[in-house]
């Protein structure tokens, strides 16, 4: 029996080690290599002990100013998309939670199904429309696109979270003469903040990292950080891996920390999102 | 519901529906119309019926892209499901530092496709990549992904599994935690061995979550674009192209909007067909809960 236990413990330890290698090695190599002196990045055999240097960050700063513009664009677009998605989803989720009718139930199903349409499909007609309206290459286009692809999930999540708030609280406020908007702002929003954070985590991660829409709808003015990094990979005549790793680390660090700190909300959101629609 | 109440509620649900109608639904319907037209830049569209669909479906490049996509989806999603299931069971069996390990497992969720491609291109660089070096020193075969289409597809599959395993894992782990402990207690008292408990308790109870995770991942894997585009660009010689990359090329390289639109609707129909399965499972769960 004790030998059995030992074997199980050993098996688990091996499994955990493999899990950690699998999940963290691709991230760790990017971050660590960004501090390696240039000639040691592709050293054979790989060198794990080296004197860290900031040379790639300095080169990134002096040669790729466009990357930092991209970071700023990413930040603006992420904030805009998140606010838009959270506000729209909270309002709709509140109504869907507190009311029910054939029309409303039908429209939730509609939201769930529409969410499953591949984004690349709609780039086809939107590209000429966006050009025609002269809003190509603006922050606004990406904010709206990113928010739209998460409002249906956001609405369903908010409905699930608001369902857990006792209706008696609404009713008490209603008796005190509060209207729907006041109840939403004063009663629902403070109590539904875990749901709001869960929706925000999804939109922030998506908007900060997205590639396809940014690739198609931005040129110079609203170019996001992932797009600039993709151009660094694309300059195939000589990928400067040091600079590439430095840029990747700068792009990755904030969103990784965000996910680490918000992991509870991410888990809650993923679970509710998949099982409730 | 009375109409008055409905008009009161409308302003709250309007933003969501306006966004979805104007950004997704109307454009998707316009694409359907476009798919029945012959059209390109600076040319008046003319009605051609299902010609575009026939042209796409008989295009060898599309067939190879569709084949690549289907193989990729089937292989990657099922491997991912198996790994996710194993991880969920590992976590459920009790681990020290559970929260820390959970966060580590979730980490790839935060990584952009672009950064993931940077990392995996480096790790598997055919000459000097650390993983290539490791495989060589162990005497194992390496991935020659810049020349061998099959090797490139393997790398793309691993990359996409890496990016999406956190999602699949969380769905299955949450479902596993929701199984009441009494069931395992009862199974043990009845003399069930661990494997029997897994077969008779865990697997049936996880059934709905497994189906949901599978359908979701089929739908989302089917639209794969960035990983392929950034890793191989569909090359060498269009051998690793997937449907979304084919669509992009038709539309934005060749300006063939008719065939691109037909490709788009083939994607929509495939997704909706899978979505139908998802809705049916949800329905079943809802009615199941009601009993």
């Amino acid at each position: 029996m004790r030998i059995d236990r030992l074997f199980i413990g050993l098996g688990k330890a091996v499994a955990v080690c493999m899990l950690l290698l699998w999940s963290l090695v691709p991230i760790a190599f990017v971050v660590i290599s960004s501090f390696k002196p240039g000639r040691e990045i592709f050293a054979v055999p790989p060198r794990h002990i080296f004197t860290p240097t900031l040379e790639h960050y300095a080169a990134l700063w002096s040669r790729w100013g466009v990357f930092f513009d991209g970071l700023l664009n990413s930040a603006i677009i992420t904030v805009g998309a998140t606010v838009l998605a959270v506000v729209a989803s909270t309002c709709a989720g509140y109504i869907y939670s507190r009311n029910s009718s054939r029309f409303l139930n039908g429209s939730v199903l509609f939201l769930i199904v529409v969410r499953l349409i591949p984004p690349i499909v709609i780039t086809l007609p939107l590209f000429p429309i966006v050009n025609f309206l002269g809003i190509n290459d603006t922050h606004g286009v990406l904010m709206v696109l990113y928010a739209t692809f998460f409002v249906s999930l956001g609405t369903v999540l908010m409905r699930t979270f608001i369902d857990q708030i006792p209706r008696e609280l609404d009713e008490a406020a209603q008796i005190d003469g509060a209207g729907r908007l006041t109840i939403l702002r004063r009663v629902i929003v403070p109590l539904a903040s875990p749901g709001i954070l869960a929706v925000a985590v999804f939109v922030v991660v998506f908007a900060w990292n997205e590639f396809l829409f940014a690739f198609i709808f931005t040129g110079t003015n609203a170019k996001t950080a992932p797009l600039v990094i993709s151009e660094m990979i694309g300059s195939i005549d000589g990928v400067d891996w040091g600079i590439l790793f430095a840029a990747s680390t700068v792009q990755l660090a904030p969103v990784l920390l965000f996910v680490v700190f918000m992991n509870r909300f991410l888990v809650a959101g993923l679970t509710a999102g998949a099982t409730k629609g | 519901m009375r109409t008055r109440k409905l008009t009161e509620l409308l302003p709250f649900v309007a933003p969501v529906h306006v966004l979805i109608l104007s950004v997704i639904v109307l454009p998707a319907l316009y694409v359907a119309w476009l798919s029945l037209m012959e059209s390109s830049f600076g040319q008046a569209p003319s009605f051609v019926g299902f010609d575009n669909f026939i042209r796409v479906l008989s295009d060898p490049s599309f067939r190879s892209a569709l084949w690549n996509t289907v193989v990729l989806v089937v292989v990657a999603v099922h491997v991912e499901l198996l790994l996710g299931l194993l991880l969920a069971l590992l976590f459920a069996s009790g681990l020290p530092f559970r929260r820390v390990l959970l966060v580590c497992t979730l980490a790839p969720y935060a990584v952009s496709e672009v950064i993931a491609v940077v990392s995996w291109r480096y790790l598997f660089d055919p000459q000097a990549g650390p993983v290539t070096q490791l495989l060589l020193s162990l005497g194992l075969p390496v991935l020659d992904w810049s020349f061998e289409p099959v090797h490139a597809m393997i790398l793309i599959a691993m990359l996409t599994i890496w990016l999406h395993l956190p999602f699949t894992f969380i769905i299955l782990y949450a479902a596993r935690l929701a199984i009441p402990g009494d069931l395992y207690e009862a199974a043990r008292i009845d003399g069930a061995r661990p494997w029997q408990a897994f077969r008779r308790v865990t697997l049936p109870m996880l059934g709905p979550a497994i189906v949901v995770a599978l359908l979701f991942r089929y739908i989302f894997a089917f639209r794969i674009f960035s990983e392929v585009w950034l890793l191989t660009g569909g090359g060498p010689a269009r051998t690793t192209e997937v449907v979304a990359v084919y669509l992009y090329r038709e539309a934005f390289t060749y300006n063939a909007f008719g065939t691109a639109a037909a490709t788009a609707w083939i994607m929509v129909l495939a997704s909706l067909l899978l979505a139908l399965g998802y809705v049916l499972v949800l329905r079943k769960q809802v009615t199941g809960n009601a009993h």
Side-chain angles (χ1 to χ4, degrees):
Chain A
M1 196 62 190
R2 281 186 64 182
I3 303 261
D4 257 22
R5 275 241 178 109
L6 194 70
F7 271 114
I8 290 174
L10 212 62
K12 275 201 212 174
V14 171
V16 166
C17 287
M18 279 165 60
L19 166 65
L20 290 178
L21 282 176
W22 165 262
S23 295
L24 300 182
V25 159
I27 296 173
F29 258 102
V30 169
V31 176
I32 293 170
S33 301
S34 74
F35 296 105
K36 271 188 188 175
R39 60 200 135 53
E40 291 189 17
I41 289 178
F42 276 112
V44 179
R47 234 165 268 168
H48 302 294
I49 298 157
F50 58 91
T51 350
T53 165
L54 289 175
E55 62 181 81
H56 305 303
Y57 290 90
L60 179 68
W61 180 256
S62 60
R63 300 207 337 240
W64 283 88
V66 63
F67 172 71
F68 294 92
D69 298 339
L71 274 182
L72 184 63
N73 289 335
S74 282
I76 295 170
I77 291 164
T78 302
V79 170
T82 308
V83 170
L84 185 56
V86 162
V87 171
S89 311
T90 309
C91 290
Y94 167 55
I95 297 303
Y96 282 120
S97 167
R98 293 308 192 232
N99 301 275
S100 124
S101 74
R102 237 212 229 136
F103 174 74
L104 286 176
N105 295 347
S107 67
V108 169
L109 199 62
F110 169 76
L111 287 179
I112 293 172
V113 171
V114 163
R115 167 187 170 206
L116 303 173
I117 292 179
I120 195 167
V121 168
I122 59 118
T123 60
L124 211 53
L126 284 186
F127 186 69
I129 295 170
V130 162
N131 280 334
F132 175 76
L133 294 175
I135 51 172
N136 190 16
D137 200 13
T138 59
H139 299 128
V141 171
L142 288 186
M143 285 180 196
V144 169
L145 283 172
Y146 293 164
T148 305
F149 272 87
F150 273 90
V151 285
S152 39
L153 176 64
T155 302
V156 175
L157 276 182
M158 287 315 297
R159 185 189 62 172
T160 313
F161 279 95
I162 295 173
D163 276 345
Q164 293 159 11
I165 302 171
R167 277 163 188 254
E168 287 76 14
L169 294 177
D170 301 31
E171 282 154 16
Q174 212 170 358
I175 290 165
D176 289 343
R180 270 206 187 80
L181 201 58
T182 319
I183 296 175
L184 181 61
R185 276 177 44 205
R186 295 290 160 87
V187 181
I188 301 294
V189 167
L191 291 173
S193 51
I196 291 177
L197 289 174
V199 176
V201 176
F202 279 121
V203 190
V204 167
V205 172
F206 177 71
W208 182 258
N209 286 336
E210 205 272 348
F211 174 73
L212 174 64
F213 285 144
F215 179 50
I216 291 177
F217 290 104
T218 68
T220 48
N221 179 42
K223 201 191 275 179
T224 61
L227 199 59
V228 180
I229 295 176
S230 79
E231 285 170 2
M232 292 178 179
I233 312 176
S235 59
I236 210 70
D237 37 274
V239 181
D240 189 325
W241 285 93
I243 294 181
L244 188 54
F245 286 137
S248 301
T249 305
V250 173
Q251 195 274 349
L252 175 61
V255 67
L256 192 60
L257 288 177
F258 182 71
V259 164
V260 167
F261 284 114
M262 304 286 268
N263 72 78
R264 275 162 213 283
F265 303 104
L266 177 62
V267 171
L270 281 171
T271 322
T275 49
K276 302 292 191 301
Chain B
M1 180 184 298
R2 276 167 290 130
T3 8
R4 226 192 92 213
K5 195 169 171 211
L6 194 62
T7 49
E8 270 175 37
L9 301 182
L10 219 50
F12 288 89
V13 291
V16 164
H17 286 279
V18 167
L19 281 174
I20 286 195
L21 282 175
S22 58
V23 177
I24 303 181
V25 177
L26 292 179
L29 292 177
Y30 179 74
V31 172
W33 179 80
L34 207 60
S35 71
L36 304 176
M37 298 286 161
E38 169 90 54
S39 127
S40 187
F41 268 131
Q43 185 196 331
S46 60
F47 184 79
V48 291
F50 288 101
D51 274 11
N52 288 321
F53 285 91
I54 294 166
R55 210 180 308 163
V56 168
L57 290 172
S58 56
D59 180 356
S61 303
F62 174 78
R63 289 189 186 178
S64 115
L66 183 65
W67 174 247
N68 285 341
T69 313
V70 169
V71 172
L72 183 67
V73 168
V74 169
V75 172
V77 171
H78 289 111
V79 171
E80 191 183 307
L81 183 83
L82 187 67
L83 290 175
L85 190 60
L86 289 174
L87 274 183
L89 296 179
L90 177 67
F91 271 83
S93 75
L95 288 178
F97 310 110
R98 198 184 57 94
R99 201 77 211 173
V100 177
L101 290 175
L102 189 73
V103 170
C104 292
T105 313
L106 287 178
Y109 183 85
V111 180
S112 165
E113 290 134 336
V114 180
I115 310 296
V117 167
V118 169
S119 172
W120 285 68
R121 267 179 90 133
Y122 169 67
L123 291 175
F124 282 89
D125 185 276
Q127 272 86 48
V131 174
T132 307
Q133 292 300 321
L134 182 71
L135 293 173
L136 280 176
S137 67
L138 294 174
L140 293 170
V142 297
L143 284 183
D144 194 11
W145 55 269
S146 49
F147 290 105
E148 283 283 337
V150 176
H151 291 195
M153 293 308 286
I154 293 174
L155 188 59
I156 291 167
M158 286 203 292
L159 178 57
T160 195
I161 292 171
W162 187 76
L163 279 169
H164 299 104
L165 185 60
F167 170 82
T168 311
F169 158 67
I170 287 296
I171 305 295
L172 296 174
Y173 182 42
R176 168 63 188 79
L177 288 185
I179 302 176
D182 313 3
L183 288 178
Y184 291 99
E185 194 71 18
R188 215 185 42 214
I189 290 166
D190 288 347
R193 304 186 142 270
W195 169 248
Q196 286 171 316
F198 173 75
R199 275 290 307 276
R200 307 282 167 175
V201 180
T202 313
L203 218 47
M205 295 294 281
L206 285 184
I210 290 176
V211 176
V212 164
L214 269 182
L215 286 171
F216 251 90
R217 288 293 300 127
Y218 285 147
I219 293 169
F220 283 81
F222 192 74
R223 60 175 71 160
I224 184 170
F225 175 84
S226 311
E227 293 95 318
V228 180
W229 182 258
L230 293 165
L231 203 59
T232 67
R238 300 189 81 167
T239 45
T240 60
E241 224 166 75
V242 289
V243 175
V245 172
Y246 176 87
L247 193 168
Y248 178 84
R249 278 203 196 287
E250 287 295 307
F252 297 101
T253 313
Y254 307 126
N255 291 328
F257 294 134
T259 46
T263 313
W265 259 82
I266 293 170
M267 285 183 87
V268 172
L269 290 178
S271 303
L272 291 185
L273 220 58
L274 290 167
L276 192 68
Y278 173 60
V279 171
L280 287 179
V281 175
L282 274 188
R283 270 264 178 86
K284 220 173 169 184
Q285 267 178 332
V286 171
T287 48
N289 289 345
H291 286 304

